[in-house]
Amino acid sequence: MSQGTYLFTSESVSEGHPDKICDRISDSILDRFMAADPDNSRLGCETFVTTNKIVVGGEGRCVSPLVVNGEVDVQEIESIARECVRDIGYAQDNFHWEKANVDIYLHAQSADIAQGVDAAGNKDEGAGDQGIMFGYACLETAELMPAPIQFSHEILHSLAQARHEDINLGLGPDSKSQVTLLYQNGKPIRATSVVVSTQHDAALSQDQVREIVRPHVLKVLPEGWMCSEDEFYVNPTGRFVIGGPDSDAGLTGRKIIVDTYGGAAPHGGGAFSGKDPSKVDRSAAYAARYVAKNVVAAGMAERCVIQLAYAIGVSKPLSVYIDTQGTGEVDEAQLSSVIQEIIDLSPRGIREHLQLNKPIYARTSAYGHFGRAPEEDGGFSWERTDLVQSLKSAFGAS
């Protein structure tokens, strides 16, 4: 990225955005599978929502009453979907957690995929699909995330918390944010524009919604970073009463840039939600972020991009590419070798090191998979910085 003066923009969408409803349902179903059978569960689950309609499809495996002889307990899956919609906050005439029609089309995992992925004899667990995955970290925020996407997430997360705590606030579940920052010498120095569109009660005016939103933006942006008043856009269309699946259809995995780095880093193209950790679209993207974050936290670069590549059924990564974008303090080829020595980047190695066989996924479905605090039960384990000392030791640093 240019080191001169430039503007960069990232967006986020809330838990009530139609696509994010789908991510939440798919990941909540995954959590149910992982809780029931953490060692053997497999799931590739897609959800679609539109006006008063929820459709869940895909393939899975689970040694539990959840799946018997390849038949999924559709009542349990339907119950999960409805609970997700209720928790998000949808009880509208045209999208209601209790009244929406729910169709379930989950079936058993393909035996051909299973034989390539599962460990057997001397064969290690293979990748659940081919593909390339990227991880990124930088010094722009305390979370070692690009500032525009981190701020965009935090604005919406703050609004959602306020909405859940105060049902009389007048805000609905569906919302978007967009933050544009001015960079000088490659570093962000202030916001030049902020856009927030949020669903609201019909009785609220645009000005009233603006003043509800304002303190959440001010809380998130560093002091003195707020844009000018004429560049602070709240519901720029003037009205946002009809929202969620009543106004737009949603689909699992359609917000991959929102889920990662807001466009500040490359993306391999694979989505995360609804996929168990044997699928490297998810687990290897988590591992790549984990390694990149530790490289930056160890002081070895101001920015770090890592690419991992896999073939379906093959355990070891085909390549481990590192680019510190001219900010590195160590040789990148040597760094790649060291990383592969201190962490096993096979699907099994990633799953075990990051302890991914746990019901920790529904919480990732909104406000970003990265830049979150590691949690005691293993959630967001890929945000730990526990490789720092090993990296420093490998290069003779204290």
Side-chain angles (χ1 to χ4, degrees), residues 10-272:
S10 295
E11 70 158 347
S12 180
V13 297
S14 73
E15 64 194 42
H17 184 281
D19 293 332
K20 283 292 151 194
I21 298 170
C22 296
D23 287 347
R24 170 72 173 274
I25 292 171
S26 294
D27 273 339
S28 295
I29 294 169
L30 174 59
D31 278 353
R32 180 69 178 85
F33 271 65
M34 299 306 294
D37 185 13
D39 294 328
N40 301 293
S41 285
R42 298 286 185 267
L43 187 69
C45 178
E46 309 286 348
T47 303
F48 166 76
V49 296
T50 187
T51 304
N52 269 338
K53 188 76 171 180
I54 302 169
V55 181
V56 178
E59 50 86 23
R61 183 182 76 193
C62 182
V63 182
S64 80
L66 192 62
V67 182
V68 179
N69 296 325
E71 296 295 323
V72 175
D73 184 341
V74 296
Q75 291 185 328
E76 175 71 7
I77 301 302
E78 177 179 335
S79 176
I80 292 169
R82 293 191 187 279
E83 178 59 30
C84 289
V85 175
R86 181 174 68 172
D87 187 62
I88 291 168
Y90 278 106
Q92 302 171 2
D93 289 342
N94 291 322
F95 193 72
H96 194 292
W97 68 270
E98 191 174 27
K99 300 174 183 176
N101 181 266
V102 181
D103 294 332
I104 309 297
Y105 299 100
L106 279 174
H107 59 80
Q109 183 186 46
S110 161
D112 290 346
I113 293 177
Q115 74 174 2
V117 174
D118 292 344
N122 294 325
K123 174 185 174 296
D124 198 2
E125 179 181 314
D129 202 351
Q130 72 175 44
I132 56 174
M133 297 83 209
F134 287 91
Y136 182 68
C138 62
L139 290 175
E140 292 180 16
T141 63
E143 296 83 7
L144 304 186
M145 284 287 288
I149 188 65
Q150 190 69 21
F151 296 158
S152 295
H153 285 324
E154 290 178 5
I155 289 168
L156 293 187
H157 198 191
S158 180
L159 279 167
Q161 289 176 320
R163 175 176 61 84
H164 284 295
E165 292 169 2
D166 183 2
I167 60 173
N168 296 315
L169 188 61
L171 299 184
D174 193 0
S175 59
K176 288 184 172 184
S177 64
Q178 185 171 285
V179 175
T180 300
L181 298 184
L182 172 64
Y183 283 70
Q184 288 186 352
N185 299 319
K187 293 178 170 47
I189 61 169
R190 65 177 176 87
T192 61
S193 67
V194 175
V195 184
V196 179
S197 296
T198 180
Q199 188 180 9
H200 60 90
D201 292 349
L204 290 178
S205 69
Q206 184 179 18
D207 286 341
Q208 287 174 313
V209 175
R210 183 186 188 88
E211 295 314 310
I212 292 172
V213 168
R214 186 188 301 275
H216 297 276
V217 176
L218 291 173
K219 179 177 73 172
V220 167
L221 294 179
E223 187 175 357
W225 280 43
M226 183 61 176
C227 61
S228 63
E229 192 65 15
D230 62 350
E231 293 290 338
F232 178 39
Y233 302 97
V234 176
N235 287 2
T237 62
R239 178 181 167 90
F240 188 4
V241 174
I242 301 172
D246 185 26
S247 65
D248 193 10
L251 188 66
T252 299
R254 203 156 57 175
K255 287 291 179 284
I256 58 176
I257 300 303
V258 169
D259 284 344
T260 53
Y261 308 103
H267 195 293
F272 301 156

Side-chain angles (χ1 to χ4, degrees), residues 367-378:
Y367 314 116
H369 291 247
F370 308 128
R372 312 281 288 274
E375 298 177 348
E376 291 185 3
D377 67 352

